[in-house]
Amino acid sequence: TRSTRPQRLLKAVQKKAIKGDPQSVISTIDYFCRHSEWAMNVGDEKGAILDSVVCEVSPSTALELGTYCGYSAVRIARLLPPGTKLITLEFNPDYAAVARQIIEYSGLQDKICLVEGASGDLIPKMQELFGIKTLDFVFLDHWKDRYLPDIKLLEECQLLRKGSILLADNVICPGTPDYLEYVRNSPRYESKYFKSHLEYTKVEDGLEKSVFLG
Ligand SMILES: O=C(NCCCOCn1ccc2cnccc21)c1cc(-c2ccc(F)cc2)cc(O)c1O
Ligand SMILES: [Mg+2]
């Protein structure tokens, strides 16, 4: 049967990228998605904003919801200080299988812990599974209708502390209206919108950065 888009993206990485070089994996994926087949990676334009927030936060504990093919996991992990790990959660086993191989190809497998499952199931178990108390940084890039319930769950599970940073992809396209309304109006968050474009297109999209105030 026909290969899947993630499998074709993986093949392009294995053919064109330099093994062990995260930047070449990132550039190869961006080239493939711009010139061969669009795919829902955060992309180069929003990726640069993601990079700047990760560098600013320099997190000791980081969570990504929505791995897909591992593009943003590689972007984040390449910037993490030594000894820190990114936990990334993927619901779709086929996406996870491709992401593992792309992460390994980039040489960042020791900085990334990929977990398969649903956010609603994993979040309550994070402290016991990973021996963490709170999260310094969360990148939301999974089902858009799960952003709001999941940050409420992060609050309930005491996984956020004063100063924890949430960065949400796709707040315009496909859009996360209930999440935006909440973080922009809740006294417990200070929010800022970074205007950009949907990956590899001219369509407006953006990232919302929200600081938990405790
Ligand atoms: O849908 C998107 N992402 C989500 C994937 C499933 O995530 C499922 N998923 C991953 C962990 C996880 C954990 N728990 C539950 C569900 C969980 C997504 C979609 C678009 C997009 C924009 C315009 C279009 F015309 C078509 C698509 C762009 C993006 O940047 C996206 O991120
Ligand atoms: Mg996205």
Side-chain angles (χ1 to χ4, degrees):
T1 55
R2 189 167 184 272
S3 66
T4 65
R5 183 166 309 190
Q7 285 168 335
R8 294 193 292 274
L9 197 152
L10 169 62
K11 233 175 84 232
V13 166
Q14 292 167 330
K15 185 163 182 265
K16 299 211 169 57
I18 302 157
K19 199 161 171 37
D21 177 349
Q23 190 52 57
S24 91
V25 169
I26 291 164
S27 305
T28 299
I29 293 173
D30 286 331
Y31 187 89
F32 178 84
C33 294
R34 207 173 274 285
H35 301 288
S36 299
E37 296 188 68
W38 185 92
M40 60 181 171
N41 317 115
V42 74
D44 45 356
E45 192 179 311
K46 289 186 289 179
I49 300 165
L50 170 63
D51 289 357
S52 65
V53 174
V54 171
C55 287
E56 177 197 345
V57 178
S58 193
S60 300
T61 54
L63 170 66
E64 173 182 66
L65 299 173
T67 316
Y68 187 44
C69 294
Y71 174 90
S72 45
V74 167
R75 281 204 85 109
I76 294 165
R78 85 192 203 286
L79 300 173
L80 290 180
T84 58
K85 262 196 170 183
L86 170 70
I87 299 159
T88 182
L89 180 61
E90 182 47 54
F91 178 75
N92 179 312
D94 299 324
Y95 293 171
V98 165
R100 286 190 204 287
Q101 295 173 81
I102 286 180
I103 288 162
E104 197 181 327
Y105 198 88
S106 72
L108 290 168
Q109 62 282 352
D110 297 343
K111 298 183 78 73
I112 297 168
C113 177
L114 199 164
V115 180
E116 289 180 46
S119 50
D121 300 334
L122 175 89
I123 288 170
K125 297 176 186 156
M126 282 195 66
Q127 281 121 339
E128 72 180 281
L129 281 175
F130 302 104
I132 54 173
K133 276 179 63 60
T134 57
L135 291 163
D136 300 328
F137 177 77
V138 183
F139 181 52
L140 297 101
D141 195 21
H142 61 327
W143 286 331
K144 309 314 162 192
D145 61 1
R146 285 297 315 180
Y147 285 24
L148 183 53
D150 284 342
I151 68 163
K152 289 183 171 173
L153 193 52
L154 288 167
E155 287 176 28
E156 281 157 32
C157 297
Q158 323 236 306
L159 277 160
L160 301 180
R161 47 102 177 148
K162 194 171 161 50
S164 290
I165 301 291
L166 305 174
L167 189 64
D169 190 26
N170 310 116
V171 297
I172 304 300
C173 176
T176 63
D178 59 346
Y179 173 83
L180 272 190
E181 202 275 331
Y182 180 78
V183 290
R184 288 178 176 175
N185 297 300
S186 163
R188 305 187 75 185
Y189 292 92
E190 181 59 43
S191 250
K192 183 180 175 191
Y193 175 61
F194 292 80
K195 186 174 160 70
S196 184
H197 295 94
L198 176 68
E199 46 268 28
Y200 318 116
T201 77
K202 293 187 166 57
V203 173
E204 182 179 343
D205 188 21
L207 301 173
E208 188 82 359
K209 177 189 172 192
S210 306
V211 186
F212 184 62
L213 302 174

